[in-house]
Amino acid sequence: MIKYANFIILFILLSVGLLLKDNIHISTNLLSLFATKESVEKLNIANNLGYSKEMLIAVKGFDKRAKEEVRQISKELKKLKYINFVQSSIVPTQEIQEYYKKYYPILATFDDANITQEQVSQKLQALYDAQLSSVFYSSINKNDPLSLFELQNIKRTGISNKGEFIALGEYGLLVRVMTDISPSQMNEAKELYRDVHTLLSKYPEVVAFAPFFYTVENSTKIQEDVQWIIILSTVVLLLIYYLLIKNIRLLSQTVIALFSSMVFASLVSTMFIENFNILSLAFGMSLTAVSIDYLLHYHFHNFYATSQKIDKNVLYGYLTTVIAFGIFSFIPIPLIAQISSFAVLSLSFAYVLFTFVFPLLGLKKYEEVRKVESEKREKKVPALLFFVLSLALFTYSAFNFKLDSNIRNLDYQNLHLLKAEKLFKSNSGAKMTPVIVQASTQEKLIEELHALKILLPDTFSLATFVKDKQSCKTRQEELKTYDFKRLNRLINEEASKIGFKDAYFKDAYSFVSPLASCDVKELDVFKTYGLSLYHDENIYYTMALVSDVKKIQKLPFITNINVKEMFNKSAQKMYSDLLYFGAMVLIIIFVLLLVSVRARFIYAINYILFPLSFTVAILVSLDAINIMHLFSLIILIAIGIDYGIYMSNSKKPSNTMLAIKYSLLSTVAAFGVLIFSTIVALNSIGVVITLGCGAIFILIKAMR
Amino acid sequence: MILKVFLSLLFASSVFAQSYNFTELRYSDAIDRYTQLEGKISFHKDGLNISYPKSARELNYKDDTLVYYENGKKVSLPDMQVSKMIQYFNILSLLHNGDESELADMFEIENQANKKILKPLGAIKNYINYIELRKEDTRLQYIKLFLKNNDTISININD
């Protein structure tokens, strides 16, 4: 029965998981891993205002074919699910025209000069003559025959046109589509992506872009990439384990133990850690493979064949690693904190299994190996030399160190979408940046938008269409005091004298009464211009497009939603947090190593310093260092600690070296294969781990 | 500018024609009088040209640009008027293409004995009540435009 302990443990864990499945919560929101809580809130408000929900479609050229395609595409797009509206013409929508009609007296300019009878007569005579002599038909505005009111033609800033069509610079015609999809809605995004691409496949020269295209294309690519890497890694790992351990029973028990550790850590993490992310889960699972070195050390030192309860080296290695990850679990970077917590749980569980359960399984004894050449100390380089070399490499790195703060660089580099995005950006006219404007009331919000317009007159916002309450009231007063009744009488008298049809102008200027209220209720009609209004319990929000963010960003009611800048800021904070915690972890590791290896401190510390310095020196020589490089360096520390302790305290160095070599191979198989990934984040991990393992290999071969 | 709409309709039924002579009869409700004009319209690739030889007025629309001439000299028109005219010219282009499905997007089409009634669906319904096209066999005879302000404009094809 005891021989099946491993299986029983796994069975219990899986049963617990099944029973408590409703308590398991996994977050799929990747944004929350990289952006600060404040940035996520900002982006949520921006999404509610329609930001990132726009899809742009460009049709090359301005000829008849292009126009025909625009009409056809617009028509077909309107039939699709998740499409809010489609705009290919600068002609205002029916709703906006209704709005203009209702608020015409308030919005139009008004010539309030007192008009004499003679002036009325002259103007009407001109209209009369034009009806008889003009070759082009022109209608008479019987409501405003003297043209006292005039409404300026309003156009969205940054949008050019060719005739009635919206143009994308000199490239061609543009179709603007507002969708209901924000980049985080994966299933809906996939459905709309498929429908749009099926539709556009009939038009080979058409280019489309929407932020949610990245969600769909990149996640598909990442999924394919990860699947391939998992298969490759599993095959390589199993092959290595089998070839090297040559013990099927041990191999199967090890795989079961690792799996149980992953299940244990997954259950605890997803039940007790808030918003535990799927990426942290996947990464944490891979990290569990590091615990194989406990098994290998035990196996090659025949720990399971002795009555020994504890192997001090493995214990020290385990404790140092767990303490390092334990500290990192408090770092305010959700991804690293979650992975570190997972690592503490899974490594602890694996340690317990390998140390206390495996001796009960009755595993076969390991046959001693012949002496390897690495034990010949005289051919090896002194530890101090490696220590000095490590310091030299660190110095070199410090002078060439460059940080990559653009978190988007970590993603899969979707060249085809980046190119499409660039096409729209480079051909759009004025570079306008969206900002969120907020206020406690709608009235105050409109006032703030007008204040913004005074600072930056080319600002495009609801203030372009809505007067602030004060100006509206002033206009209302102006119109109420103007004598329109007298004017109407004069017009009708003079019109009759000139020969106009009787009572043709009987309603002239009657549109000024009653006047529309200054509390505008119809702001929703401007959604087609990308101008929405959103309010939660206490605050009203809207979007404004501005030409110079720097000039207005200090205004208290403005929030800049430049995603790139947001991520840059959060990346800067991540780097400083990581450096702070990294330094703390290194100090504690130094202390722990001093306690566990004493005299061979320099020798042991080299297993951390040399892989780090070697890897960083190569990285800085090649490119800028990103956050995933730094995180992988932490994993490298965790790996190095164990080896340092094992090698320093080993009574049978040949067996220890063999255990380390196998462990290194398994680490390369688990993480190193990521070097083949096309996703920069995963590739970065692969590069660091491969280089680091290479450096450790050099140490075990060459250091004494 | 609404004139251009009739002319576009005119062309819609005669895709292969390049130029037409026409007589325009315009009724102004404001003065309760009719005015008659004679002109010529030519349709080319990506545009059209309308001229009234007797008054030496000409309008050229090409590549989304509208140019107006009086006695051979270029005269600028107010932006608002130009944008409205362009809007109508684009309808004209659509009608010239003769694409029934596109026409159906913009008008509700009612077929009567020997004429069609087109009722606008989009923004132009603010200006136009309906358009009447009369045909004899397949050949267009005239177009009548009934405007919101009770004005009417009839275009009779002379050729």
Side-chain angles (χ1 to χ4, degrees):
Chain A
M1 184 72 175
I2 201 80
K3 287 186 178 177
Y4 300 104
N6 233 346
F7 291 96
I8 295 166
I9 289 167
L10 179 61
F11 177 75
I12 292 169
L13 284 169
L14 290 175
S15 305
V16 169
L18 208 63
L19 280 171
L20 301 176
K21 66 176 189 303
D22 292 339
N23 299 323
I24 296 173
H25 304 289
I26 302 173
S27 163
T28 51
N29 185 0
L30 294 185
L31 187 69
S32 61
L33 284 182
F34 295 108
T36 59
K37 200 177 166 196
E38 189 198 0
S39 303
V40 173
E41 278 168 9
K42 275 187 204 172
L43 286 175
N44 282 340
I45 294 168
N47 279 337
N48 280 320
L49 292 170
Y51 179 70
S52 294
K53 291 184 178 175
E54 193 179 48
M55 175 164 67
L56 299 171
I57 295 170
V59 177
K60 198 166 173 54
F62 302 98
D63 57 4
K64 209 165 107 184
R65 172 206 53 84
K67 287 173 186 169
E68 198 57 44
E69 285 190 4
V70 164
R71 284 197 190 99
Q72 202 56 40
I73 290 168
S74 304
K75 196 173 146 188
E76 290 178 40
L77 279 169
K78 282 176 188 165
K79 294 178 195 162
L80 298 184
K81 204 175 161 188
Y82 306 121
I83 297 285
N84 212 317
F85 67 81
V86 180
Q87 190 189 17
S88 58
S89 157
I90 55 159
V91 178
T93 61
Q94 189 63 32
E95 289 77 17
I96 291 176
Q97 289 190 37
E98 289 295 328
Y99 172 86
Y100 285 149
K101 201 171 160 187
K102 183 175 172 184
Y103 292 94
Y104 183 76
I106 308 282
L107 297 172
T109 56
F110 171 56
D111 180 0
D112 64 348
N114 197 17
I115 299 176
T116 62
Q117 186 176 355
E118 195 187 350
Q119 285 169 319
V120 171
S121 178
Q122 280 170 358
K123 285 193 175 186
L124 290 178
Q125 187 65 54
L127 283 179
Y128 188 92
D129 293 345
Q131 290 294 297
L132 294 171
S133 59
S134 174
V135 292
F136 297 119
Y137 171 78
S138 60
S139 61
I140 291 173
N141 183 352
K142 62 166 88 172
N143 292 311
D144 179 17
L146 307 181
S147 301
L148 299 184
F149 291 84
E150 193 187 346
L151 190 63
Q152 298 298 319
N153 200 7
I154 299 168
K155 228 174 80 175
R156 182 179 153 171
T157 325
I159 284 194
S160 56
N161 64 296
K162 282 274 178 185
E164 68 170 300
F165 288 88
I166 304 176
L168 178 64
E170 291 306 309
Y171 178 83
L173 299 176
L174 178 72
V175 182
R176 289 179 62 237
V177 185
M178 190 53 85
T179 73
D180 293 328
I181 309 286
S182 63
S184 57
Q185 292 171 286
M186 179 60 86
N187 292 336
E188 293 84 351
K190 274 187 177 169
E191 195 179 335
L192 184 57
Y193 177 88
R194 189 192 57 227
D195 291 346
V196 168
H197 282 78
T198 308
L199 190 163
L200 296 181
S201 60
K202 289 178 271 178
Y203 309 96
E205 281 194 63
V206 168
V207 183
F209 174 75
F212 74 84
F213 285 7
Y214 278 116
T215 314
V216 177
E217 290 191 11
N218 287 14
S219 72
T220 309
K221 184 71 196 166
I222 291 169
Q223 213 173 348
E224 285 169 7
D225 214 85
V226 169
Q227 270 171 5
W228 180 79
I229 281 167
I230 287 174
I231 293 169
L232 181 70
S233 171
T234 312
V235 170
V236 173
L237 268 176
L238 288 174
L239 204 69
I240 288 173
Y241 291 167
Y242 177 71
L243 289 176
L244 302 181
I245 303 174
K246 286 180 183 155
N247 183 337
I248 288 286
R249 184 143 183 271
L250 179 63
L251 177 63
S252 62
Q253 294 285 0
T254 307
V255 171
I256 296 288
L258 289 177
F259 188 58
S260 295
S261 308
M262 287 177 198
V263 174
F264 172 77
S266 304
L267 285 175
V268 178
S269 306
T270 53
M271 282 186 202
F272 299 107
I273 298 176
E274 202 186 353
N275 293 325
F276 198 83
N277 199 277
I278 192 156
L279 193 66
S280 313
L281 193 68
F283 210 130
M285 284 180 172
S286 310
L287 203 54
T288 309
V290 169
S291 63
I292 192 93
D293 69 25
Y294 306 148
L295 177 274
L296 293 171
H297 193 85
Y298 285 146
H299 177 63
F300 289 116
H301 286 90
N302 271 323
F303 174 72
Y304 299 135
T306 64
S307 57
Q308 204 183 341
K309 294 279 177 219
I310 296 278
D311 181 314
K312 273 189 183 172
N313 288 338
V314 178
L315 178 66
Y316 287 148
Y318 157 70
L319 285 177
T320 322
T321 311
V322 161
I323 287 169
F325 278 119
I327 293 168
F328 275 122
S329 69
F330 293 99
I331 197 169
I333 303 171
L335 177 70
I336 296 180
Q338 290 182 3
I339 294 170
S340 301
S341 307
F342 190 101
V344 169
L345 290 165
S346 68
L347 295 181
S348 299
F349 200 81
Y351 176 79
V352 170
L353 289 181
F354 290 137
T355 312
F356 304 110
V357 178
F358 271 52
L360 309 174
L361 303 179
L363 296 165
K364 225 169 83 180
K365 200 182 165 194
Y366 168 69
E367 298 300 326
E368 286 285 329
V369 291
R370 63 187 160 75
K371 291 230 169 190
V372 290
E373 77 283 356
S374 304
E375 283 185 62
K376 294 169 189 166
R377 291 177 59 89
E378 66 279 5
K379 287 186 183 172
K380 295 190 171 182
V381 180
L384 192 65
L385 206 65
F386 273 103
F387 185 75
V388 174
L389 178 63
S390 302
L391 294 182
L393 287 171
F394 274 133
T395 313
Y396 164 78
S397 305
F399 284 106
N400 295 283
F401 198 72
K402 264 197 319 264
L403 279 179
D404 183 357
S405 60
N406 189 352
I407 290 181
R408 260 186 96 172
N409 287 347
L410 291 176
D411 206 347
Y412 162 62
Q413 294 304 291
N414 191 331
L415 296 177
H416 122 87
L417 267 190
L418 287 169
K419 192 178 159 195
E421 188 179 2
K422 197 178 166 192
L423 171 85
F424 288 100
K425 276 189 180 161
S426 59
N427 282 290
S428 64
K431 298 278 177 272
M432 302 297 279
T433 313
V435 291
I436 297 174
V437 183
Q438 66 181 75
S440 53
T441 62
Q442 184 180 312
E443 189 186 324
K444 194 133 182 32
L445 190 70
I446 301 294
E447 268 175 37
E448 287 171 355
L449 291 172
H450 279 279
L452 197 61
K453 206 163 170 54
I454 292 169
L455 284 171
L456 295 169
D458 56 355
T459 298
F460 184 73
S461 70
L462 287 171
T464 314
F465 305 96
V466 184
K467 284 213 170 186
D468 64 277
K469 205 159 185 176
Q470 190 52 48
S471 315
C472 175
K473 294 262 182 209
T474 309
R475 169 57 64 82
Q476 280 184 335
E477 283 307 310
E478 197 178 7
L479 295 177
K480 276 177 193 163
T481 52
Y482 193 88
D483 193 353
F484 285 107
K485 275 188 182 163
R486 171 190 160 266
L487 193 63
N488 179 289
R489 187 176 44 79
L490 278 180
I491 289 168
N492 279 291
E493 283 172 7
E494 292 307 309
S496 188
K497 284 182 205 165
I498 291 165
F500 279 98
K501 200 172 157 183
D502 280 348
Y504 189 76
F505 297 109
K506 69 179 167 45
D507 293 328
Y509 300 104
S510 61
F511 65 88
V512 295
S513 175
L515 285 168
S517 159
C518 286
D519 293 317
V520 180
K521 305 278 183 216
E522 302 89 340
L523 294 179
D524 273 0
V525 301
F526 300 107
K527 273 186 179 172
T528 47
Y529 288 127
L531 303 173
S532 298
L533 187 72
Y534 161 74
H535 66 96
D536 56 21
E537 281 175 16
N538 307 313
I539 305 172
Y540 282 75
Y541 301 95
T542 188
M543 201 89 91
L545 295 174
V546 297
S547 54
D548 185 359
V549 184
K550 279 183 188 160
K551 204 170 170 183
I552 49 112
Q553 67 184 0
K554 283 188 181 160
L555 291 174
F557 51 84
I558 295 291
T559 308
N560 187 358
I561 46 163
N562 184 329
V563 178
K564 196 178 167 188
E565 205 170 291
M566 255 185 216
F567 279 124
N568 276 355
K569 271 187 191 167
S570 94
Q572 294 299 340
K573 190 176 177 307
M574 277 186 202
Y575 285 127
S576 59
D577 285 339
L578 203 55
L579 285 176
Y580 173 72
F581 276 80
M584 199 154 56
V585 165
L586 275 177
I587 292 168
I588 289 176
I589 287 173
F590 283 7
V591 174
L592 290 172
L593 278 183
L594 265 177
V595 174
S596 57
V597 300
R598 294 162 210 269
R600 300 205 75 193
F601 175 73
I602 295 284
Y603 179 86
I605 200 74
N606 277 347
Y607 276 89
I608 296 169
L609 295 186
F610 183 66
L612 283 186
S613 59
F614 177 78
T615 308
V616 173
I618 292 179
L619 289 178
V620 297
S621 307
L622 297 173
D623 208 349
I625 292 210
N626 63 43
I627 194 93
M628 291 319 271
H629 284 137
L630 290 183
F631 183 65
S632 313
L633 291 170
I634 296 165
I635 299 173
L636 209 56
I637 296 173
I639 299 166
I641 300 166
D642 291 354
Y643 301 160
I645 295 174
Y646 300 162
M647 288 298 287
S648 309
N649 294 340
S650 184
K651 289 181 180 117
K652 288 183 180 173
S654 58
N655 290 15
T656 306
M657 263 190 279
L658 199 61
I660 290 177
K661 274 189 225 166
Y662 292 175
S663 183
L664 275 179
L665 275 173
S666 70
T667 306
V668 171
F671 290 104
V673 288
L674 294 177
I675 206 167
F676 299 112
S677 175
T678 48
I679 302 148
V680 178
L682 297 181
N683 177 272
S684 303
I685 301 165
V687 169
V688 170
I689 299 296
T690 308
L691 288 171
C693 286
I696 293 172
F697 190 75
I698 295 172
L699 284 182
I700 58 171
K701 283 283 183 191
M703 182 171 70
R704 74 175 141 93
Chain B
M1 56 247 169
I2 289 170
L3 169 65
K4 286 75 193 180
V5 176
F6 329 150
L7 299 174
S8 65
L9 290 164
L10 168 73
F11 287 115
S13 61
S14 50
V15 174
F16 301 105
Q18 291 299 307
S19 299
Y20 287 95
N21 290 307
F22 65 86
T23 303
E24 180 187 340
L25 188 64
R26 202 188 285 165
Y27 170 71
S28 167
D29 187 48
I31 59 173
D32 194 18
R33 281 181 65 173
Y34 284 90
T35 323
Q36 185 171 308
L37 294 162
E38 288 187 348
K40 188 178 181 180
I41 183 161
S42 308
F43 199 92
H44 4 255
K45 194 181 174 237
D46 296 327
L48 62 86
N49 177 282
I50 302 158
S51 63
Y52 294 91
K54 283 183 187 168
S55 53
R57 305 285 198 271
E58 192 180 342
L59 199 77
N60 198 40
Y61 177 60
K62 199 179 178 193
D63 294 332
D64 298 301
T65 309
L66 192 71
V67 187
Y68 172 54
Y69 298 93
E70 281 185 12
N71 298 313
K73 283 185 182 170
K74 207 187 270 186
V75 175
S76 65
L77 294 168
D79 284 353
M80 192 67 105
Q81 194 177 358
V82 169
S83 69
K84 281 189 175 176
M85 288 169 100
I86 286 177
Q87 198 177 328
Y88 291 124
F89 281 136
N90 285 314
I91 296 170
L92 182 149
S93 300
L94 176 64
L95 293 167
H96 177 260
N97 292 341
D99 186 328
E100 281 290 328
S101 72
E102 293 296 338
L103 268 180
D105 282 348
M106 303 192 72
F107 299 98
E108 184 190 323
I109 304 170
E110 195 183 308
N111 287 304
Q112 294 184 354
N114 54 353
K115 67 182 180 188
K116 276 183 185 205
I117 306 291
L118 306 180
K119 292 179 183 167
L121 297 172
I124 55 165
K125 72 179 173 192
N126 293 324
Y127 310 102
I128 302 169
N129 276 334
Y130 64 94
I131 299 162
E132 186 182 306
L133 292 94
R134 185 173 284 263
K135 289 178 181 178
E136 202 166 89
D137 297 325
T138 54
R139 187 169 169 74
L140 193 72
Q141 294 298 298
Y142 74 79
I143 304 165
K144 264 190 177 180
L145 206 76
F146 296 86
L147 307 180
K148 278 275 179 197
N149 60 2
N150 293 333
D151 288 356
T152 58
I153 304 165
S154 301
I155 305 286
N156 292 288
I157 308 301
N158 303 333
D159 297 331

